[in-house]
Amino acid sequence: MVERINLTAEQEGLKQRLQESFNLVREGNSAGGYGEAYNEAFNEMSELGFQLATSLTPPPVFTQEILNGADELTPADRAFYNDQHVVEHLLNYLEGDK
């Protein structure tokens, strides 16, 4: 395990909200992943993931597998975070998990 990333109070707030949205999306995927509540949680997860990742200095490091799965998108693109696995990787990165 690598050392946990130090976050500002604002970033901690974003991370907490991101974790909550991510959990709702993960639960929604298990239940079929459709409906207004799921869509709202997914959109919020994507936006919060983008905001949090782009606020970090240095920026988060994503595995080659994550980058390859994103087609031509980069971590600087908001749409990069329209993927549950990308957000999961970001959350794990913040906790110091490889």
Side-chain angles (χ1 to χ4, degrees):
M1 181 182 258
V2 184
E3 198 169 310
R4 187 172 189 265
I5 305 299
N6 291 321
L7 301 176
T8 65
E10 182 179 342
Q11 290 169 329
E12 277 291 345
L14 285 172
K15 180 182 164 227
Q16 183 177 3
R17 290 175 48 211
L18 176 60
Q19 183 68 61
E20 292 167 3
S21 295
F22 172 78
N23 290 344
L24 290 172
V25 168
R26 186 173 50 194
E27 291 167 13
N29 282 338
S30 296
Y34 300 103
E36 187 176 332
Y38 174 84
N39 290 338
E40 288 176 13
F42 187 89
N43 290 335
E44 181 178 45
M45 177 193 76
S46 299
E47 182 59 34
L48 291 170
F50 172 73
Q51 287 178 20
L52 182 55
T54 57
S55 75
L56 298 172
T57 304
V61 177
F62 291 93
T63 64
Q64 195 60 48
E65 182 180 353
I66 293 289
L67 295 172
N68 289 344
D71 297 321
E72 295 187 17
L73 297 172
T74 70
D77 297 313
R78 189 208 171 282
F80 181 78
Y81 302 91
N82 289 349
D83 185 306
Q84 178 183 344
H85 299 293
V86 170
V87 173
E88 181 176 32
H89 184 88
L90 174 61
L91 290 167
N92 289 338
Y93 170 80
L94 294 172
E95 291 300 321
D97 296 338
K98 288 189 173 195

